[in-house]
Amino acid sequence: MLGQNEQNIKKRMEGRVAINKILMVLFGLATAVGLVFLVLLFYRVLTQGIGYLSLDYILNFPAPYPEEAGIYAGLIGSIFLMIIVAIFAVIIGVATAIYLEEYAPKNKFTDFIRVNIQNLAGVPSIVFGLLGLTFFVYMFNFGYTLIAGGLTMALLILPVIVVAAQEAVRSVPAEIKEASYGMGASKWQTIARVILPAAIPGILTGAIIALSRAIGETAPLIIVGAATAIYTLPDSLLAKYTVMPIQIYNWTGRPQEEWQFVAGAGIIVLLAVLLLMNSIAVLIRNKYQRRL
């Protein structure tokens, strides 16, 4: 009887090992398919755009001819927009996460708020564009300006930052917080000196992922009035502006083949900015992790 049980257990184990190997191969194939298409896309963009990429291209404003067109206005506009988005979204998002995790009472209403914040993270970006058009452009009378675009994009990524910050705050061990209280620290001192420093790596990761999404969005900015071509830099929060995705979208819609190459060069610049943002985030995160 014991031998029969051992054989049954052995068969089940062999079946599980076989299923594990099959699933491992399937997951590997799925990863390979994604990587292949990613490499093909990157190769196409690189081969199309590298010939038009130069210092003049980066420092020139849009022009009616492909050989004279540049992405300077879009690059500076994207940087200004990301500064506004980061200031509003990160401060409000982290403050909301701290309140929900450390101050808010644990009841059904708080759970309802948490669930809806998570749902907002999956809402299509065009909905936030319409929200920004209603409130910031018309109700607050900002018009089609830089501040309206920045606040709209801040709304877009705010749920992502809140959820990431909540997870980072929640991951701080309870023993550390209890030790801080035991040493006589107040709740705010514990949050500022213990919880936030320990949660900064996770908060930064979520913030950079959210900002990377914002810098590549086009639909909300079209709705709130980002210009397709502009020949001056924004000199105030109420100035007209454009961003790199809008310029790239405009170039890809033109019939001449040369404009596709100009757009390819713009995509390379956009990818370089994203890589720089993520590199800075990794350096800051590693610096704080070494302190902990």
Side-chain angles (χ1 to χ4, degrees), residues 72-280:
Y72 187 57
L75 177 61
I76 301 301
S78 292
I79 293 173
F80 286 169
L81 190 75
M82 286 302 105
I83 291 174
I84 296 173
V85 172
I87 290 173
F88 284 95
V90 174
I91 292 176
I92 296 175
V94 174
T96 302
I98 291 174
Y99 173 77
L100 290 174
E101 292 299 320
E102 299 297 327
Y103 289 103
K106 309 300 181 183
N107 53 35
K108 292 183 178 180
F109 180 70
T110 307
D111 293 338
F112 175 78
I113 293 175
R114 289 194 180 98
V115 170
N116 279 277
I117 289 175
Q118 293 174 353
N119 290 337
L120 283 174
V123 171
S125 61
I126 194 72
V127 176
F128 288 98
L130 294 171
L131 187 65
L133 181 68
T134 302
F135 283 95
F136 303 129
V137 175
Y138 294 141
M139 186 176 295
F140 295 152
N141 203 28
F142 288 147
Y144 299 112
T145 57
L146 181 63
I147 185 65
L151 292 175
T152 300
M153 300 308 291
L155 283 180
L156 172 67
I157 68 171
L158 186 59
V160 179
I161 293 179
V162 172
V163 172
Q166 280 185 275
E167 293 297 331
V169 171
R170 200 178 298 140
S171 66
V172 178
E175 294 81 2
I176 297 179
K177 292 186 281 188
E178 291 170 359
S180 177
Y181 293 137
M183 295 293 292
S186 65
K187 192 172 189 66
W188 171 244
Q189 288 174 326
T190 300
I191 292 172
R193 299 179 183 179
V194 177
I195 296 176
L196 275 181
I200 276 180
I203 293 173
L204 276 177
T205 301
I208 292 298
I209 291 174
L211 289 171
S212 299
R213 178 191 177 188
I215 200 174
E217 282 287 351
T218 305
L221 294 177
I222 292 176
I223 293 179
V224 294
T228 55
I230 194 170
Y231 303 95
T232 58
L233 298 179
D235 55 0
S236 71
L237 294 177
L238 297 176
K240 298 293 183 181
Y241 70 102
T242 189
V243 291
M244 288 187 286
I246 295 291
Q247 283 196 280
I248 294 169
Y249 173 76
N250 181 39
W251 288 332
T252 56
R254 300 187 180 185
Q256 295 88 349
E257 186 180 4
E258 291 81 4
W259 288 110
Q260 310 304 316
F261 302 148
V262 177
I267 294 173
I268 294 174
V269 175
L270 180 59
L271 289 174
V273 173
L274 287 172
L275 182 62
L276 179 62
M277 289 172 55
N278 283 278
S279 300
I280 293 173

Side-chain angles (χ1 to χ4, degrees), residues 18-29:
I19 293 174
N20 181 66
K21 290 181 179 179
I22 293 171
L23 291 176
M24 184 176 64
V25 172
L26 291 175
F27 294 154
L29 288 174

Side-chain angles (χ1 to χ4, degrees), residues 5-88:
N5 289 336
E6 290 178 351
Q7 290 179 358
N8 292 334
I9 293 172
K10 185 177 180 181
K11 287 181 180 179
R12 287 198 296 268
M13 291 296 295
E14 290 175 349
R16 292 174 181 175
V17 170
I19 293 174
N20 181 66
K21 290 181 179 179
I22 293 171
L23 291 176
M24 184 176 64
V25 172
L26 291 175
F27 294 154
L29 288 174
T31 304
V33 169
L35 289 175
V36 166
F37 281 101
L38 181 62
V39 170
L40 290 175
L41 178 63
F42 184 74
Y43 174 77
R44 179 175 175 81
V45 169
L46 193 63
T47 53
Q48 282 190 339
I50 197 67
Y52 276 79
L53 188 62
S54 65
L55 185 60
D56 289 336
Y57 174 81
I58 296 175
L59 298 180
N60 284 352
F61 286 93
Y65 304 105
E67 60 273 9
E68 299 176 2
I71 202 168
Y72 187 57
L75 177 61
I76 301 301
S78 292
I79 293 173
F80 286 169
L81 190 75
M82 286 302 105
I83 291 174
I84 296 173
V85 172
I87 290 173
F88 284 95

